[in-house]
Amino acid sequence: MFPIVEAEFLAPDVKRFVIEAPRVAKKRRAGQFLILRLHDHGERIPLTIADSDPERGTVTIIVQGVGKTTKLLNMLGAGDAILDLVGPLGSPSHVEPFGTVVVIGGGLGAAIAYPTAKAMKEAGNHVVSIVGARTKELVILEREIGAISDELLITTDDGSYARKGFVTGVLAELIESGRRLDLVLAIGPPRMMQAVAETTRPRGIKTVVSLNSLMVDGTGMCGGCRVLTNAGARFACVDGPEFDAHEVDFDMLVRRNRTYLQNESESLKRFLEDPTRDLERVRESCHLEQRHPEVRREASRS
Amino acid sequence: MSAETTDPATPAVPPSKKDRMKIPRQHMPEQDPARRRRNFEEVNQGLTVLGAATEALRCLSCANPKCTAGCPVGVKVKDFVDLIVAGDYLGAAAKIREDNILPAITGRVCPQETQCEGCCILGNKFEPLGVGYLERFVADYERETGQVGLPERAPATGRRVAIVGSGPAGLSAAGDLVRMGHEVTVFEALHEIGGVLVYGIPEFRLPKEIVRHEVDAMRKMGVDFQTNVVIGKTVTIDELMGEEGYDAVFVATGAGLPKFLGVPGEHLNGVYSANEFLTRVNLMRADAFPESDEPVYDCRDRDVAVVGGGNTAMDAVRTASRLGAATSHLVYRRSEAEMPARAEELKHAKDEGISLMCLTNPVAFLGDEDGFVSGMRCVRMELGEPDASGRRSPKEVPGSEFEIPIQVAVIALGTSANPLIQSTTPDLQTTRKGYIAADPETLRTSKPGVFAGGDIVTGGATVILAMGAGRKAAASIHEFLSTGVWDATAAETPS
């Protein structure tokens, strides 16, 4: 069981959690993720680790309430606990002094890009961050990303804050300005990452993306997270989550991520009609776990 | 043993050997196929007390029993069967536990026909003794009466052993080591203990309740279980032996990487590896969606094809049927005679209406406009000369391509070595195919203090062979911890 020690909303439905997980905190490096499960009937979902504090023994995740499990998670707060949390999973970001690194975060992608941007800065890179959001109130981590970036450029789709437009527009301008860009790191919705890849491809600028494919175990066992690259099928959970953007088949990623759309919306609908049952399950699971580890297994799946 | 455990049906004086040989092998009651093909309840219902007592009478009590030699963990079959004949079922269970920490599990999933029962002298003229049935019977009897006889522990040695993986190899090693007085921690990457026993083997063959019960018994014996720890990621082997202070490590992670066919269309939506399909249903209970959150692609009234001929393929195809599939095809490139699955599993599958498509191999998966699998292009096969495995090698029949409509496919072609541990433990030698190199007798690896066994050394095998490796590892680890001697030449990389 993994206690939540801090929880705060960064934007509507976007919440930052600090969770006690000493082993994960100690080991985690930028670019890695964890998998958690909230109760005995819950699903396992992967979430990027935004930050960690090895001394305090905590990891930070930033969660956008999109589906059932993330919405349920966002109802929890300090004092609650996560039933199962495993990590750090995936390969860490490849960080070295490249020169000028452009880090692009679209929507929640900003939270996922942040740890790698920070590591890139610490490695001596000139970091240009581009943060894109649909609208002003969804711009997250502006202060944090600003603090570790040499330049911070913000766009909103509706123009309600900073520049109106998409992240690719800003990126295209940077490229056209003739500046030398040594690496572009893009994290966000698959179609955004694909657009970034197409923007940098003609100039041959090395571009890395972090892929959010469907996963179950996260250790390479199930093969559900397979993504197609020039080198054939790869498992995002162990070979990734970061891949060369110019080699990824984004259409396949988008297609496979649609596998359970119907189930996901059914699950969400049921949950929103009555969230209390799942909340009780969370509390019950964690309560039992704390009291007596083997009781949980007996109580499950009744 | 107290008198209550003696069933009145057991004759006070056993009949003569000649009479006993006339007793027919007892039949295992089964759930009706028409009913069970749509539910996840256990297929085999277990012998009754009378059935077990009768079956036990068939044992010839050989002076030199061959059954024990045929058992990968050396269960003293004659001794425990004698105890059943005497009506001492708890004593029989305790006798099995001396060699086999998981009798309720092995009694259900062991390929007895090729092991203990395959060596039974009765089998020469009659049907062999139902050793598996009897093993299961006493384990279930013990559990149902709530009187699990935990083996005694030797005095604490103060030595600590880390076991990586909570599948059959890890559990079996843990059971032996804890009895020898060592402090044992078992690390599991998933949230539930049991490895392949809980994510791979379906409830209708091995109810999870049985696994939980065995694991709880081990917990009571003092084994420490830690879930949600991925060795190689959360903690490395070096850290276990360094700052975490373990004196020895046993790597029993299994060979978890799924194999795919490498044919066009196999990454379409609805094409699963057996590992994923079974994990979703067994571990995550996707069959209960939306009561459980993890989904599996809806098989109801759809046509499902499972590719492969092993026990995992059998599990997957029978699972598809239980998920409501209209047709569940088993597609295998050799003939029925070459299928590696247990005969009983194949029979059960057939009884449940599985459609067998032997001498058939998929060459492509076809998709609809949304990227979901909609069909499978197959080619007919014929058998040629025996290959390295001793089985006749299949060859394509030219011009025999045909297509069948399917909406879900499961690829059950076995697994290969997961590189997670090897890649984070640089001084651990691996074989050409990426398995961990370990001495076949001592299970010592190239890294002092580290032992490895089960599927991560041998490649995919059976539960009982993994348990055999676990026992071997325990004996070898015990020797190492007692003597402190590590023979550096012991581990050599097999070619």
Side-chain angles (χ1 to χ4, degrees):
Chain A
M1 205 189 51
F2 302 83
I4 298 170
V5 292
E6 284 174 37
E8 56 160 348
F9 279 105
L10 302 181
D13 250 356
V14 176
K15 203 166 183 178
R16 175 178 162 276
F17 291 93
V18 178
I19 304 164
E20 246 180 69
R23 278 190 156 136
V24 186
K26 194 171 143 199
K27 240 353 202 307
R28 161 270 169 187
R29 285 162 63 198
Q32 291 186 292
F33 63 94
L34 53 80
I35 285 181
L36 58 76
R37 191 174 77 124
L38 297 180
H39 59 64
D40 266 319
H41 293 70
E43 58 183 341
R44 296 168 62 93
I45 61 162
L47 295 164
T48 300
I49 306 172
D51 209 345
S52 66
D53 183 340
E55 271 156 40
R56 205 174 158 206
T58 58
V59 293
T60 302
I61 52 173
I62 294 169
V63 183
Q64 185 168 27
V66 180
K68 174 185 172 170
T69 301
T70 47
K71 282 193 187 292
L72 173 62
L73 179 53
N74 280 357
M75 289 178 175
L76 306 185
D80 289 323
I82 309 290
L83 180 61
D84 294 299
L85 184 154
V86 59
L89 300 170
S91 302
S93 303
H94 178 68
V95 176
E96 60 171 89
F98 292 99
T100 298
V101 176
V102 180
V103 179
I104 304 173
L108 190 75
I112 303 171
Y114 168 68
T116 306
K118 191 172 156 195
M120 287 291 182
K121 180 64 191 166
E122 282 161 6
N125 290 289
H126 181 89
V127 174
V128 181
S129 295
I130 306 175
V131 170
R134 240 182 323 110
T135 188
K136 181 181 177 183
E137 60 181 0
L138 296 177
V139 175
I140 56 169
L141 301 182
E142 182 180 350
R143 190 172 46 82
E144 288 86 346
I145 295 174
I148 53 97
S149 305
D150 295 284
E151 298 165 56
L152 172 62
L153 304 161
I154 297 176
T155 67
T156 46
D157 298 0
D158 62 1
S160 57
Y161 184 58
R163 259 187 74 154
K164 180 174 161 64
F166 298 119
V167 292
T168 40
V170 179
L171 176 65
E173 275 176 29
L174 274 178
I175 294 172
E176 278 152 26
S177 73
R179 284 177 62 172
R180 181 192 160 87
L181 306 180
D182 298 286
L183 179 75
V184 172
L185 176 77
I187 302 173
R191 291 303 183 196
M192 182 214 90
M193 294 192 283
Q194 185 174 25
V196 168
E198 292 319 313
T199 308
T200 57
R201 191 191 301 273
R203 301 290 176 96
I205 302 168
K206 179 148 178 68
T207 304
V208 171
V209 286
S210 179
L211 303 184
N212 55 336
S213 55
L214 296 174
M215 272 178 207
V216 184
D217 65 295
T219 62
M221 188 266 282
C222 85
C225 64
R226 53 202 195 266
V227 293
L228 218 47
T229 73
N230 288 1
R234 288 284 173 272
F235 296 163
C237 71
V238 286
D239 301 320
E242 291 182 5
F243 291 92
D244 182 334
H246 297 145
E247 298 197 348
V248 170
D249 181 342
F250 284 98
D251 290 342
M252 167 169 154
L253 178 74
V254 169
R255 170 169 60 69
R256 284 187 63 87
N257 281 358
R258 278 203 303 252
T259 304
Y260 300 109
L261 272 192
Q262 267 187 8
N263 301 93
E264 285 159 11
S265 63
E266 185 185 349
S267 234
L268 183 58
K269 187 167 160 277
R270 271 172 61 105
F271 170 68
L272 292 176
E273 277 165 10
D274 178 21
T276 52
R277 208 169 56 132
D278 284 281
L279 278 167
E280 272 164 23
R281 278 176 170 174
V282 170
R283 301 232 157 85
E284 180 76 354
S285 299
C286 291
H287 177 63
L288 285 174
E289 162 80 359
Q290 195 173 24
R291 221 174 49 200
H292 206 42
E294 58 264 35
V295 173
R296 182 182 111 215
R297 276 107 196 157
E298 302 304 325
S300 67
R301 281 142 215 156
S302 44
Chain B
M1 182 49 54
S2 62
E4 309 87 85
T5 57
T6 305
D7 190 272
T10 306
V13 183
S16 73
K17 202 185 243 185
K18 205 174 151 194
D19 286 342
R20 283 155 62 177
M21 280 160 77
K22 287 185 197 150
I23 303 172
R25 181 175 159 121
Q26 297 300 295
H27 177 71
M28 174 70 85
E30 287 172 10
Q31 214 199 130
D32 174 45
R35 192 176 159 267
R36 75 182 192 232
R37 63 189 289 263
R38 295 294 196 215
N39 71 43
F40 280 88
E41 289 155 36
E42 203 172 5
V43 170
N44 283 334
Q45 303 287 294
L47 294 180
T48 58
V49 173
L50 180 60
T54 310
E55 182 64 25
L57 279 177
R58 300 180 62 231
C59 180
L60 300 177
S61 288
C62 307
N64 181 18
K66 297 201 181 332
C67 40
T68 296
C71 172
V73 298
V75 167
K76 297 184 265 300
V77 176
K78 171 175 127 37
D79 295 355
F80 96 75
V81 175
D82 283 349
L83 286 163
I84 297 177
V85 172
D88 181 1
Y89 308 136
L90 293 177
K95 182 55 73 181
I96 299 175
R97 278 185 193 274
E98 288 176 10
D99 302 289
N100 174 1
I101 195 77
L102 308 169
I105 294 171
T106 51
R108 287 171 164 81
V109 304
C110 262
Q112 288 101 2
E113 63 278 9
T114 61
Q115 297 173 353
C116 48
E117 297 181 17
C119 299
C120 176
I121 295 295
L122 266 180
N124 294 343
K125 273 180 94 174
F126 308 96
E127 282 194 272
L129 181 69
V131 181
Y133 293 0
L134 292 174
E135 180 177 57
R136 173 187 160 143
F137 167 78
V138 293
D140 287 355
Y141 182 91
E142 182 190 49
R143 186 181 62 259
E144 282 157 18
T145 55
Q147 303 182 67
V148 175
L150 296 179
E152 286 197 14
R153 279 188 80 169
T157 63
R159 311 312 294 265
R160 304 178 65 217
V161 184
I163 293 179
V164 185
S166 68
L171 290 181
S172 165
D176 278 2
L177 285 163
V178 82
R179 260 191 289 181
M180 293 164 179
H182 306 297
E183 210 177 295
V184 178
T185 307
V186 177
F187 294 98
E188 168 56 50
L190 290 167
H191 54 259
E192 194 157 329
I193 296 295
V196 73
L197 303 172
V198 296
Y199 76 73
I201 302 180
E203 293 257 5
F204 57 81
R205 226 157 49 86
L206 177 63
K208 277 225 277 296
E209 194 50 47
I210 304 282
V211 181
R212 283 189 206 118
H213 189 270
E214 300 277 27
V215 168
D216 284 344
M218 295 184 68
R219 224 179 242 123
K220 289 188 190 114
M221 282 168 66
V223 177
D224 174 35
F225 289 100
Q226 295 198 19
T227 50
N228 297 312
V229 182
V230 183
I231 300 300
K233 286 284 181 189
T234 316
V235 185
T236 63
I237 301 272
D238 286 314
E239 286 164 342
L240 285 178
M241 306 198 72
E243 56 236 60
E244 300 228 2
Y246 287 96
D247 300 297
V249 176
F250 177 45
V251 182
T253 52
L257 223 54
K259 283 185 190 163
F260 290 95
L261 283 155
V263 302
E266 72 181 333
H267 304 305
L268 286 163
N269 297 359
V271 184
Y272 288 99
S273 74
N275 274 355
E276 181 181 2
F277 185 69
L278 291 173
T279 299
R280 282 181 182 275
V281 179
N282 297 338
L283 180 74
M284 306 306 295
R285 296 318 308 254
D287 56 301
F289 183 89
E291 193 54 32
S292 297
D293 292 342
E294 196 83 55
V296 66
Y297 190 60
D298 194 349
C299 294
R300 279 174 295 179
D301 302 322
R302 295 198 156 115
D303 305 306
V304 183
V306 174
V307 183
N311 286 323
T312 305
M314 237 33 101
D315 287 343
V317 79
R318 296 171 69 197
T319 294
S321 161
R322 283 156 173 80
L323 291 173
T327 52
S328 319
H329 303 288
L330 187 77
V331 180
Y332 181 57
R333 61 193 189 131
R334 293 182 162 98
S335 74
E336 202 180 310
E338 283 84 18
M339 270 194 192
R342 289 184 67 195
E344 183 184 42
E345 305 308 330
L346 179 60
K347 181 190 174 291
H348 281 170
K350 283 183 181 171
D351 290 348
E352 289 162 15
I354 299 306
S355 119
L356 269 188
M357 294 176 65
C358 289
L359 291 166
T360 305
N361 208 28
V363 291
F365 292 94
L366 315 167
D368 64 17
E369 62 277 12
D370 295 323
F372 283 79
V373 65
S374 60
M376 190 166 72
R377 185 174 299 138
C378 299
V379 63
R380 300 238 182 261
M381 309 293 281
E382 57 190 4
L383 292 180
E385 295 304 305
D387 65 8
S389 72
R391 292 176 298 179
R392 295 173 66 195
S393 56
K395 285 198 207 81
E396 287 188 8
V397 177
S400 65
E401 285 197 6
F402 64 100
E403 286 173 15
I404 58 165
I406 54 161
Q407 294 82 45
V408 183
V410 180
I411 304 184
L413 297 175
T415 55
S416 54
N418 187 324
L420 225 146
I421 298 244
Q422 299 87 310
S423 65
T424 51
T425 318
D427 47 347
L428 199 60
Q429 276 183 33
T430 56
T431 68
R432 203 165 31 82
K433 287 186 169 174
Y435 293 96
I436 295 178
D439 180 272
E441 289 314 309
T442 65
L443 301 187
R444 292 182 178 200
T445 67
S446 57
K447 188 175 171 67
V450 179
F451 301 73
D455 288 7
I456 192 59
V457 170
T458 59
T462 60
V463 167
I464 191 71
L465 285 172
M467 287 178 61
R471 295 211 79 194
K472 217 181 229 186
S476 186
I477 290 168
H478 182 65
E479 191 211 343
F480 166 64
L481 293 178
S482 311
T483 63
V485 178
W486 185 271
D487 179 1
T489 60
E492 280 171 14
T493 312
S495 54

